[in-house]
Amino acid sequence: MTISRRDFLKASAAAAAFAAAGAPLLNPLASGEAEAAEAGIKWGKAPCRFCGTGCGVLVGVKNNRIVATKGDPSAPVNRGLNCIKGYFLSKILYGRDRLTKPLIRKGDRMVEASWDEAMSLIAGKFRESIDKNGPDSVAIYGSGQWTVFEGYAASKLFKGGIGTNNVEPNARLCMASAVTGFMTTFASDEPMGCYDDLDLGDTYFLWGANMAECHPVLFSRLIDNRLRNPNVKIIDFGTRRTRTSQMADQYVRFNPQTDLALLNGIAHVILRDRLYDETFIKRHVVFKRGKENIGYGLEDKFKFADEPKLINFDEYREFLKTYTPEYVSRLSGVPAKTIVELAHLYADRKRKVNSLWTMGFNQHTRGTWVNNLVYNVHLLTGKICRPGENPMSLTGQPSACGTAREVGTFTHRLPADMVVMNPEHRAKAEKIWGIAPGKIPAKPTYNATEMFRALDRGDIKVVWIQVTNPFQSLPNLNRYRKGARKGDGRFVIVSDIYPTRSTELADVILPSAGWVEKEGVYGNAERRTQQWFKLVDPPGEARNDLWQTMELARRLGHGSLFPYKYVEKEIWEEYRKFNEGQGKDLAPYEAYAKARGLRWPVINGKETLWRYAEGHDPYVKKGEGVSFYKNKADHYRAVIWARPYEPPAESPDRQYPFWLCTGRVLEHWHTGTMTGRVPELKRAYPSAVCEMHPEDARKLGIKHLQKVKISSRRGSIILPVDLNGRGKAEKGNIFVAFFDEGKLINDLCIDAYCPISGEPDYKKCAVKIEKA
Amino acid sequence: MISDMKKRKWKTVRMVVQIAVIMLIASPLLGASFFHGNLAGGALFGISLSDPLAFLQATLASRMFIPSFLLAALLIAALYFFTGGRSFCSWVCPVSLLTEIGDSLRRRIGMGERSFPLAWTRWTLAVVLAVSLLAKVPLFEVISPIGITTRAVMFKAWLPLAIVAAIVAVELFVARRIWCRSLCPVGGFYSLLGRFSPVRIRFERERCTFCGDCEKICHFEEVLDYPLRGGGSQVVAGDCTRCGDCVDVCRTRALKFGTGYR
Amino acid sequence: MDAENSKSGVTRRRFVRDGILVPLSLAVAGGAVSTIFLRKGDARNFYLRPPGAIEEKRFLAACIKCGKCAQLCPYNSIRMAGPEAGVGTGTPHIVAREIPCYLCPDIPCAKACPSGALDSSLQEVEKIRMGTAVIVDRENCLSIRGLRCEVCYRQCPLIDRAITIEPRHNTRTGVHTIMEPVVHRDKCTGCGICENACVLEKPVIVVQKSPPVQKDYYDF
């Protein structure tokens, strides 16, 4: 490795100084600015560490410590605001149990070790396993919280150096279906629209998205649109009455899984009542039908390949015949009249119509399909690629888009929408990476769930987990937690900033640098790429995950893959080569140091607000209006997919009569490892509860706050019942948040996944409830 | 020690009861749920019990009449009526347990025999009831060392025990058992009941050697005046706590527990 | 001579006892008591009483400090006041910031009260009126400043009834909403969950005294 630690530090110190000088001191939000300036606090910019909204924050640093954070007034996403998690960003790195030294397992104890000891142990295990069992016996499991650099380095080392496609992010668990939805419909990942659509539209259909709690600042923007324009309508489709439903104009409750039928029902009415945009369809759309009855990925080594066939409009119409409002109503529980009304609202030519969705769609055994189906409605009505009128998938992690999707840290992916299955794509990557042709394996290996199944079986021996907490977040957790500690050569490395439910199963724990303790780039849900400099040193011996990955590379003899001096900048410039000319162009590194993020494609320093749209996207030629220019195979058209309704992997029955849905709350983020260390957030929402319908509770003789035992076929848990909380479960449903590390609700979840995206369904499984 | 215990049979039984009462009050802390509350008001196996004086104060102060509260108070009043009135003091009250220990220390360091009149408790009782009625505050419940001690046990609230410590300190240096003898309105209340209680100490004159041991051991020695000075064959004073110390100490068995009026 | 000596001895002992030890022990006792009594009282001069508590003055009159309500509280929300409470020494109260009242559906505390200080006939938690939440510091309330906090609202056990959100346009950013939590006194039970949950160091929403609405049934 050619970079010296000194150079590395020098570069980041210079960068930090630059950033601090550039950060404006004015924030109308907080009082006492003058005092802060006088107190010698220096401010730098960074994106928020939490969700995919990508709010900008200013970070106040004094004596090498974060002393304050505040919403960045010049950040376009949030304009100085934050949600309550963002408000406490200054505390997330300073929990008392911060990991500061590498730890190596000695029997049941974790013993402090030096970096050299830890890294040589890790490198030894990698080498041993690769020699004995081949490169596919080692894996890295990262996340949508990896910085672009960390994800890029991991992908480069594993795919380009070690020669295995065993690279997966936790983003597989949260938006893989959105990816496959975009890819199958538009042949290019990520939305056409942006957050400006929240300010400009008239109708918003929310599908399986509790924006009020999970995208708080965006929700505030959406509601403001309605405050300014009384004409605006917000319709919330859901299986649980949430804070979002509370503020929506209409709440449409449907039976779990029947979103597939509902969307087909809406399309049926649009065709029946001739509400579609014929010109748009003729110019921009093809119709396809794929394999049906595709399974649920429940068995190990599940494999699926779709066989799409082109169909015509009439065949599509024929396909939709069965989805009459009456049939859909029987299936979904939504009145037929409402379905017709909503179809008309979707197609209303006088209104700019948007769809927004998150995990209700993506964490779905037919996640790809349901993503396809919502695009169908927009494509049929031509309500797409126009300011204020788009379908938009929201993300949950700060760089699910920026790193996992754009860098392509999935087993089958390479940067810029490329895939390992495509020889041209591999060749391009091999060229940019300067490695021997044929080095990158052509076959994808495991999706996230399969990766941990492989670890359980022993096909994977060594797994390195970075910036995520799979042993709390995987479904059917019992199996994978046990699998990790089966011994027999299995070796689990976890890099994190705090002890977690995953570090407790590790053989080596590496202390990482978090957030602004390193330089980074994140990409949010509206294609906005945001950069920050390192602002403080990590505590103790904690080190950047990027350094950790490169150190392993060096010790495995792949040091030449990372010949950088100013690592981050040089990785960026190298990474940029993948994107150039691909409709995903990124700006030079310096541009991001100055800007509060730029939405790609960035061409000649100009960001793109609406993709595929003439006048906004430079790739679209004059006179084209709209061009889905990435879908060469279908003559630059988008695909309307005939996707049927199919039942979920597991439905309630006599023995397990309730649906279990899991999710998030505003106060905590994901597995709560950071928010749980902020005393104020912990106090505000200390532990998980089981939301239940009062009538169901009454039937079972359960009172509010009484403890119940919830069991599925896979596990059980004891929780107090909440009959009157922020979320109101529908009859026959319960809801539990998954942040609570003391209550592993994912023990109960089924590890069924969408065969196309590989994303598990955390929203539907069957459970029973007994008094505890 | 064993012989000592045998010799002091009643004292031993009494201490077992005293400690059992404290354990009962502490039982919810140990996870038991058959008893809640304290000596002012409690519930044993769901039966509500209440100190009659607490009932009187609260009722006078709040001008509310709660029938179940009265019933709870009547149950306790009946209990102590049949067991001797101030038997509450020597058998149940934890403050009495503490001040007895203080008094034995006082005897050991020889602080003398000074004491104040027993009759004062009737006055303090009157004052407590009057203040409760007029000031609308259950006066004694605010400052009650019994309440403080029991709540200390129930909630581990040790700090207010300073008041009890102060009482023990004052008794140590000023006069014997001032609190229980002369000030405690609960004692005052039960002394009124005790006067008519069927459980009494009997005195057999023909066995008595007039050694004076009983008067020495008794903390409320005035109550023995009546039988000893020829008044009759039993202790009749309401202030007798039926502690049994005199029975224990009497070598000729001239003093005994008995029932009935003579 | 002997008699005189012994007499003067007694006198001296009496002098030591009555002249020095008695005042000394009184001073120590008095000092201890008054120190405890004079300890910093509650700044708001308001004690959050358990569910069903009758009007404060009568509550103080009726409570016999038996502690049953506190013992039966499954969350240890109810604690007994120390001597700093003066006349209220030993009375049950709730320090919402530490442990609020979670409004058990069967209200075990009120049911246990023997003396009527807590109305044991109380059946529905919605009817509990311990006090009322008030946003006392609007300037520092994060929600009113436009941040997406509203923790008090979402944790309110009577969400959308006792606390609602009143959205209004945020003129400063131009595209966001200020989601202001508004307390409805006619619905608020005063359980203090909001005060407990407030994320600021000094809670901006606190439970205060509510106007008396309770009826006393056994008046004479």
Side-chain angles (χ1 to χ4, degrees), chain B residues 15-204:
Chain B
M15 270 183 70
V16 168
V17 174
Q18 281 172 317
I19 288 164
V21 167
I22 291 173
M23 297 291 284
L24 186 70
I25 290 166
S27 65
L29 276 185
L30 309 169
S33 60
F34 55 88
F35 180 83
H36 291 107
N38 64 8
L39 298 173
L44 182 64
F45 297 112
I47 300 163
S48 195
L49 305 166
S50 220
D51 172 18
L53 180 56
F55 165 77
L56 286 175
Q57 290 173 79
T59 304
L60 290 175
S62 70
R63 288 131 169 89
M64 289 195 304
F65 173 67
I66 310 282
S68 62
F69 195 15
L70 172 66
L71 185 69
L74 284 176
L75 281 173
I76 288 296
L79 173 72
Y80 290 117
F81 171 76
F82 287 112
T83 57
R86 289 201 74 166
S87 52
F88 167 80
C89 304
S90 62
W91 290 78
V92 172
C93 179
V95 174
S96 172
L97 177 65
L98 294 171
T99 53
E100 267 187 71
I101 294 165
D103 194 66
S104 66
L105 190 65
R106 181 185 160 94
R107 284 180 193 207
R108 204 156 298 168
I109 58 175
M111 291 301 293
E113 291 299 315
R114 188 167 174 208
S115 62
F116 294 111
L118 289 170
W120 285 9
T121 56
R122 262 75 82 192
W123 289 106
T124 58
L125 173 65
V127 167
V128 160
L129 293 177
V131 171
S132 296
L133 179 65
L134 299 174
K136 301 184 183 175
V137 166
L139 175 67
F140 182 62
E141 297 312 313
V142 176
I143 51 164
S144 163
I146 308 169
I148 284 168
T149 314
T150 49
R151 285 193 302 273
V153 173
M154 293 157 76
F155 304 109
K156 295 180 238 163
W158 309 116
L159 194 66
L161 278 181
I163 293 180
V164 182
I167 288 172
V168 173
V170 169
E171 291 188 348
L172 194 56
F173 298 115
V174 181
R176 291 194 297 111
R177 304 287 308 270
I178 306 173
W179 176 258
C180 299
R181 281 177 53 96
S182 313
L183 296 175
C184 180
V186 178
F189 180 86
Y190 285 124
S191 75
L192 299 176
L193 280 187
R195 186 164 300 174
F196 308 103
S197 170
V199 172
R200 291 166 183 218
I201 301 294
R202 286 200 192 159
F203 175 61
E204 289 179 45

Side-chain angles (χ1 to χ4, degrees), chain A residues 38 58 81 139 158 167 293 396 402 409 432 449 458-459 480 509 526 547 580 696 735 745:
Chain A
E38 271 167 37
L58 294 175
L81 302 180
F158 278 74
V167 180
N293 197 7
T409 61
I432 294 173
T449 314
D459 293 344
Y480 305 115
I509 301 171
E526 60 162 353
W547 178 87
E580 244 167 36
D696 288 333
F735 175 87
I745 187 65

Side-chain angles (χ1 to χ4, degrees), chain A residues 31 61 156 226 264 269 339 461 493 501 531 557 602 667 701 716 761:
Chain A
S31 51
V61 175
K156 193 175 181 185
R226 189 178 60 185
N264 276 333
V269 176
I339 296 168
K461 293 286 188 195
I493 305 136
R501 295 309 297 264
Q531 184 272 359
V602 186
E667 290 82 352
S716 66
D761 192 331

Side-chain angles (χ1 to χ4, degrees), chain A residues 28 77-79 81-82 84 88 212 216 220-221 224 227 243 246 666-667 680 683-684 705 724 726, chain C residues 75 97 102 105 142 147-148 151 153-155 157 159-161 168-169 172-177 196 199:
Chain A
V77 175
N78 55 313
R79 303 196 191 179
L81 302 180
N82 274 137
I84 200 62
F88 284 111
S220 151
R221 217 164 141 170
D224 196 59
L227 286 175
R243 290 303 97 202
Q246 172 65 24
L666 204 159
E667 290 82 352
E680 289 84 352
R683 166 204 277 280
L705 299 174
N724 189 29
R726 55 177 68 191
Chain C
Y75 303 98
R97 189 61 176 162
Y102 290 100
L142 295 179
L147 278 78
R148 284 297 319 281
V151 164
Y153 161 73
R154 283 190 309 278
Q155 292 299 67
I159 184 167
D160 294 328
R161 286 180 284 169
R168 63 189 147 89
H169 177 60
R172 196 173 55 68
T173 75
V175 293
H176 294 97
T177 314
N196 182 265
V199 296

Side-chain angles (χ1 to χ4, degrees), chain A residues 371-648:
Chain A
N371 271 271
N372 291 148
L373 291 177
V374 78
Y375 297 134
N376 288 358
V377 175
H378 281 267
L379 290 168
L380 285 172
T381 53
K383 292 181 176 293
I384 193 163
C385 304
R386 292 193 216 149
E389 192 157 39
N390 282 297
M392 170 95 165
S393 133
L394 299 168
T395 57
Q397 294 189 82
S399 202
C401 285
T403 305
R405 291 162 75 164
E406 291 161 27
V407 177
T409 61
F410 293 85
T411 182
H412 65 296
R413 289 195 120 195
L414 290 165
D417 285 348
M418 300 200 298
V419 288
V420 297
M421 297 82 89
N422 185 322
E424 284 168 39
H425 292 178
R426 288 200 304 278
K428 183 176 178 182
E430 282 154 357
K431 188 161 165 257
I432 294 173
W433 284 346
I435 53 174
K439 180 78 192 178
I440 302 171
K443 261 183 77 180
T445 51
Y446 309 110
N447 67 40
T449 314
E450 291 290 351
M451 183 181 269
F452 286 93
R453 284 178 184 171
L455 179 69
D456 178 45
R457 291 192 306 267
D459 293 344
I460 287 177
K461 293 286 188 195
V462 181
V463 63
W464 190 350
I465 296 159
Q466 292 187 343
V467 219
T468 186
N469 190 6
F471 297 122
Q472 181 172 345
S473 62
L474 284 166
N476 191 13
L477 204 46
N478 272 328
R479 175 179 174 190
Y480 305 115
R481 285 179 66 84
K482 277 189 204 120
R485 298 258 25 103
K486 269 188 178 167
D488 189 27
R490 285 177 188 76
F491 195 77
V492 178
I493 305 136
V494 180
S495 297
D496 210 313
I497 63 172
Y498 289 115
T500 66
R501 295 309 297 264
S502 297
T503 60
E504 72 184 7
L505 302 180
D507 295 286
V508 176
I509 301 171
L510 298 176
S512 289
W515 195 40
V516 294
E517 290 167 355
K518 60 192 175 190
E519 187 167 332
V521 167
Y522 276 168
N524 79 352
E526 60 162 353
R527 295 174 277 110
R528 184 183 296 276
T529 313
Q530 309 200 71
Q531 184 272 359
W532 75 93
F533 289 110
K534 179 182 170 184
L535 300 175
V536 292
D537 288 315
E541 294 173 27
R543 289 186 124 151
N544 194 345
D545 294 58
L546 175 59
W547 178 87
Q548 295 174 20
T549 305
M550 293 193 301
E551 181 62 17
L552 176 70
R554 194 177 66 77
R555 286 172 189 257
L556 292 179
H558 299 298
S560 61
L561 288 173
F562 305 99
Y564 314 120
K565 280 208 171 69
Y566 181 178
V567 185
E568 287 83 355
K569 183 175 154 47
E570 287 172 57
I571 286 186
W572 183 261
E573 296 305 335
E574 182 182 311
Y575 165 54
R576 231 155 64 79
K577 290 183 198 155
F578 283 95
N579 296 284
E580 244 167 36
Q582 301 302 310
K584 302 213 145 188
D585 308 59
L586 299 166
Y589 198 54
E590 292 73 22
Y592 294 99
K594 283 184 218 126
R596 296 305 197 266
L598 294 170
R599 283 166 282 193
W600 58 258
V602 186
I603 290 167
N604 300 326
K606 233 184 121 241
E607 58 173 355
T608 302
L609 272 64
W610 290 281
R611 290 174 84 192
Y612 312 129
E614 185 186 335
H616 297 286
D617 186 341
Y619 279 89
V620 181
K621 291 185 206 89
K622 220 172 165 192
E624 283 184 331
V626 167
S627 168
F628 298 104
Y629 54 83
K630 290 294 287 179
N631 199 2
K632 205 174 153 193
D634 295 312
H635 309 287
Y636 313 109
R637 286 157 181 253
V639 183
I640 286 184
W641 286 91
R643 305 286 201 191
Y645 165 80
E646 280 178 10

Side-chain angles (χ1 to χ4, degrees), chain A residues 246-263:
Chain A
Q246 172 65 24
M247 294 198 86
D249 297 277
Q250 192 179 347
Y251 165 61
V252 184
R253 185 207 73 83
F254 62 88
N255 297 329
Q257 190 86 356
T258 62
D259 37 11
L260 295 161
L262 261 177
L263 281 159

